[in-house]
Amino acid sequence: MTTSPQEQAQEQGQAQPQGHPQRWLILAVIMLAHLTVLLDNTVLNVAIPSLTDELGASTADIQWMINAYSLVQSGLLLTAGSAADRYGRRKMLAAGLVLFGVGSLCAAFAQSSTQLIAARAGMGIGGALLMTTTLAVIVQIFDDTERVKAIGIWSTTSSLGFAAGPLLGGFMLDHFWWGSIFLINIPVALIGLAAVIKLVPESKNPQGDRPDLLGALLSTIGMASVVYAIISGPEHGWTSAQVMVAAAVGVLVLGAFTLWELHVPYPMLDMHFFRNQRFIGAVAGAILVAFGLSGSLFLLTQHLQFVLGYEPLEAGLRLAPLAVTVVALNLTAVGAKLHARLGTPATIAAGMSMLAGGLAVIALLGGDDYNGMLVGLVIMGAGISLAMPAMANAIMSAIPPEKAGVGAGINGTLAEFGNGLGVAVLGAVLNARFAALILPVAAASLPAALASAESAGERARIMDAFSSGLETSQLVGAAAVLVGGLLAAELLRRAERADSAGSAEAVESEESVGSAESA
């Protein structure tokens, strides 16, 4: 029995020349699954008071309920991507939806903190499979002419998830019990599963590499340890034994993972990717976009509540313009059109410069006035809509199509790392500046400092110190994003020049051989 060229391309994990005929419908299904995963990164935050009252959850329990999901998900991203390449991306996408749905059902009806933590960990496994397979499938079903536009639309789900998570969670808690925030995942998982089975073509690595079990174990332990250290740093202190041990274990295990991948015949992550300037440039840019976005949002949430006096839901609504800008520009394909005209390096340089500019505008003009912050949020959103899809496409383009799952795993891992790094670094800058300005007041946080204030004048001085710390940290973030973004763009530009020079040499060599044969 023979197979058609289209079926052979699907089986080998290669993009079809004209793209899949139902590619836009498949993209809609993929976005729905991806959005559900991202919503659960933030939706639990608004349920913390309910969980404390109804489950008797302690502060440590609440932290593990939130962190179990992100720790398991970030630790398994590379492994999930490798499994998708080996066993089939549609199979792993379907498995991710099943695991996510079952985990959500268990979470909704959990009777104790321990049960909810375990359910969240199970959701993290499904989330890792969904995060990697959704992007990998996009690479397979869209050709080069439409891929940037598709990735741009896919990336809007990150902004939608950030904006809609707290709002959706708040609405559900106003009308139903706390478990309802997880039950909304069930119909989405069922619809997504049926659509995936019917619509999404299967694709996998035709070589059928042997599974790298030790590499999977080492990458999972190493990444989970590093992410745990980053998450725990602000809470327990960066020099605490808990954080230092987790960081040391993560670095040592990831070092062992690197050595193993360099010598194993079938590595899960080919370390030779890191010799590719295009890959390195895209990696640096992806980390810095996540760094600037997560770090700035972490600071802005505090600014809106502590300095400008908004309630949590009001603060969430006032951050929405950033997400709206990203969604509007990506759905109208503005970023994809500029990418086609400017090229990858210039698009990334422009996007990162706008992201840095938005942070600077917020720092300088948004201290006491939301209007200044609004302008900065819109500029940030425009920059993200340009830079994020271009860098995701650059990462995926630098990796062979048969390794698309691993590429998506790398992209997701970088985003997780950048998110944690942004919160950690910019939060540390804020705390250091704030502590330096209120030296006579012995307090580690703004609420504690305000509680210890003995007069209105001292309270005003403390608020000014906090605002100054926010301004400093945002300017540090803007500088890091600008310099790093320009560096990433330059690396990508050099890689393109090297590729062009290599292609020209190959053409000249072929012409010389042809001339010699004619003679």
Side-chain angles (χ1 to χ4, degrees), residues 151-169:
I151 291 177
I153 295 174
W154 172 84
S155 68
T156 62
T157 54
S158 299
S159 301
L160 284 172
F162 156 74
L167 300 179
L168 182 60

Side-chain angles (χ1 to χ4, degrees), residues 36-37 39-48 50-51 55 64-66 69 99-110 112-113 115-121 123-124 165 168-169 172-173 176-189:
T36 308
V37 176
L39 284 173
D40 276 84
N41 280 319
T42 57
V43 72
L44 191 63
N45 294 333
V46 296
I48 288 175
S50 301
L51 295 171
L55 292 183
W64 277 110
M65 289 173 191
I66 295 172
Y69 181 72
L99 288 171
F100 196 82
V102 171
S104 298
L105 186 64
C106 294
F109 295 101
S112 67
S113 298
Q115 291 178 8
L116 182 54
I117 291 169
R120 290 278 289 171
M123 292 170 66
L168 182 60
M172 297 299 290
L173 289 172
F176 308 101
W177 96 109
W178 66 264
S180 64
I181 63 177
F182 298 110
L183 279 184
I184 57 178
N185 296 334
I186 307 300
V188 175

Side-chain angles (χ1 to χ4, degrees), residues 316-409:
L317 287 171
R318 280 163 176 78
L319 288 174
L322 185 149
V324 171
T325 303
V326 175
V327 172
L329 292 180
N330 278 331
L331 289 181
T332 55
V334 171
K337 293 174 183 175
L338 285 175
H339 182 273
R341 179 177 299 178
L342 301 176
T344 299
T347 302
I348 289 176
M352 297 293 275
S353 297
M354 293 180 72
L355 176 55
L359 282 168
V361 167
I362 291 171
L364 299 175
L365 302 179
D368 301 317
D369 181 17
Y370 176 71
N371 291 330
M373 185 180 292
L374 175 62
V375 173
L377 288 171
V378 172
I379 296 173
M380 284 178 62
I384 291 165
S385 70
L386 289 178
M388 189 177 290
M391 281 182 297
N393 184 66
I395 289 175
M396 300 304 289
S397 299
I399 291 176
E402 64 270 15
K403 294 286 187 180
V406 170

